[in-house]
Amino acid sequence: MSTLEMIEAAADRLRGHVRETPLLTSPFLDDLAGRRVLVKPECLQHTGSFKFRGAWSAISALNAQDRQRGVIAYSSGNHAQGVALAAARHGISSVIIMPSDAPQLKIDNTRALGGEVVLYDRTNESREEIGESLATERGLTLIRPYDEPQVIAGQGTTGLELVRQAAEMGVKQGDVLVCCGGGGLTSGIALALEGHAPGLRARPCEPEGFDDVKRSLASGQIQANAETAGNICDAILTPQPGQITFPILSRLCGPGLSVTEEEAMRAMALAFLRLKIVLEPGGAVSLASALFHKEKIEGDAVIVVASGGNVDPEVFGKALEFLT
């Protein structure tokens, strides 16, 4: 189980290797949301998403012998790129299992960063089974995308940063909206908030129709999505909350939020116009929640973790059409 102490230890290992992303503000977004909006743009992190934090944390925590044998991961793209780069910077090999319908940009980037990409059909094949099989066959260490204590610890360093930054801006109470797939980032941030800013509350944000975390929190037990594909927010489409992440989420998080594809695209356009940052659809659902579901949010200020910006140019172009 991940703990605050693990997050703080991960922060020490990550220091000098990850970017500390800022908190951005815009009076235009404040007006839309009806409160102060502080946006933490993890799209500016190495490889374009927060996933590099967890990848570095997990690989750097391995003993030397296991690390040298190499690592394997499965991901729709952001964890893939994070693991590929972290492995390359540690001088070790990586095998990445990716869905064949992942954005081509993410597949190409993962290969360019040094990962050996193995494609699979996410509708008819299990990435978990493929990953376990290849890990055993090649003697690789599996770095899971969210249900992995050291990955959660690395993602939790995002929370340590935003706690300090928000306090410097006079914000010590309110909701922290987090784009959520399996819950690694959300649970890591929730643990950091519990330890250092109990006045801040993490809330998972998801696409409508793929809101397994929201439904699981409401019911008190893990709920699965009926489908695992078919939404533009590909980065956060997961079957269900993790066995490790869900107990943390259920203990520490407020109610989940969900947004439409159109709301995610509109948030992408507004982030570009008002903050000058590029978000992918899955990385924009937290901002969409703040802007378009403000009646469900508490407090005079809201913190938004914009989790990634790895978007294909044609999808980004469609998002910008919402500005006209």
Side-chain angles (χ1 to χ4, degrees), residues 19-94:
R19 294 173 180 152
E20 179 173 309
T21 55
L23 282 183
L24 305 178
T25 60
S26 162
F28 298 99
L29 297 184
D30 292 350
D31 287 344
L32 275 175
R35 55 175 54 85
R36 289 180 72 190
V37 179
L38 285 61
V39 179
K40 189 162 181 62
E42 280 294 296
C43 54
L44 303 180
Q45 190 54 259
H46 297 306
T47 71
S49 90
F50 72 96
K51 290 288 191 177
F52 182 75
R53 295 176 185 267
W56 187 277
S57 172
I59 291 174
S60 64
L62 293 174
N63 64 54
Q65 186 177 19
D66 287 341
R67 189 160 55 236
Q68 280 308 119
R69 282 199 292 263
V71 296
I72 186 169
Y74 41 75
S75 165
S76 62
N78 287 336
H79 181 62
Q81 294 172 84
V83 170
L85 180 60
R89 291 190 175 179
H90 277 88
I92 65 173
S93 64
S94 64

Side-chain angles (χ1 to χ4, degrees), residues 84-310:
L85 180 60
R89 291 190 175 179
H90 277 88
I92 65 173
S93 64
S94 64
V95 176
I96 313 295
I97 303 160
M98 302 184 69
S100 55
D101 62 345
Q104 193 61 44
L105 175 69
K106 295 181 179 181
I107 295 173
D108 293 344
N109 284 353
T110 302
R111 287 180 173 140
L113 291 168
E116 175 193 338
V117 175
V118 176
L119 298 176
Y120 77 101
D121 179 352
R122 74 164 103 201
T123 302
N124 300 307
E125 295 181 289
S126 166
R127 66 183 189 176
E128 288 82 3
E129 291 178 3
I130 296 170
E132 295 285 358
S133 176
L134 284 175
T136 301
E137 178 185 323
R138 302 195 191 183
L140 306 172
T141 297
L142 178 61
I143 308 294
R144 293 177 178 83
Y146 51 85
D147 229 17
E148 176 66 52
Q150 287 295 354
V151 168
I152 295 170
Q155 320 306 26
T157 63
T158 312
L160 295 182
E161 289 180 12
L162 73 81
V163 164
R164 175 176 48 78
Q165 293 165 332
E168 291 171 354
M169 300 173 74
V171 176
K172 296 184 179 180
Q173 290 189 321
D175 286 341
V176 178
L177 310 188
V178 189
C179 305
C180 189
L185 177 63
T186 312
S187 58
I189 289 176
L191 286 168
L193 299 182
E194 178 189 33
H196 291 286
L200 297 175
R201 176 180 66 163
R203 297 187 64 184
C205 302
E206 300 168 286
E208 284 188 356
F210 296 84
D211 55 354
D212 50 295
V213 173
K214 176 183 176 181
R215 290 183 288 107
S216 297
L217 291 176
S219 69
Q221 50 191 311
I222 290 178
Q223 304 288 320
N225 286 321
E227 305 290 339
T228 57
N231 189 284
I232 199 168
C233 301
D234 65 281
I236 54 174
L237 302 186
T238 52
Q240 62 186 43
Q243 295 295 324
I244 296 175
T245 59
F246 182 64
I248 301 171
L249 300 174
S250 60
R251 182 171 68 85
L252 297 178
C253 289
L257 298 161
S258 58
V259 304
T260 65
E261 288 186 319
E262 179 177 325
E263 287 169 339
M265 296 283 267
R266 288 174 63 196
M268 290 169 64
L270 288 165
F272 174 74
L273 180 67
R274 301 306 185 189
L275 298 174
K276 315 307 177 189
I277 59 174
V278 173
L279 299 180
E280 61 190 286
V285 296
S286 53
L287 181 59
S289 297
L291 299 180
F292 309 127
H293 296 270
K294 56 188 178 183
E295 73 285 352
K296 300 175 183 177
I297 297 167
E298 298 179 6
D300 297 327
V302 62
I303 301 172
V304 170
V305 180
S307 57
N310 291 308

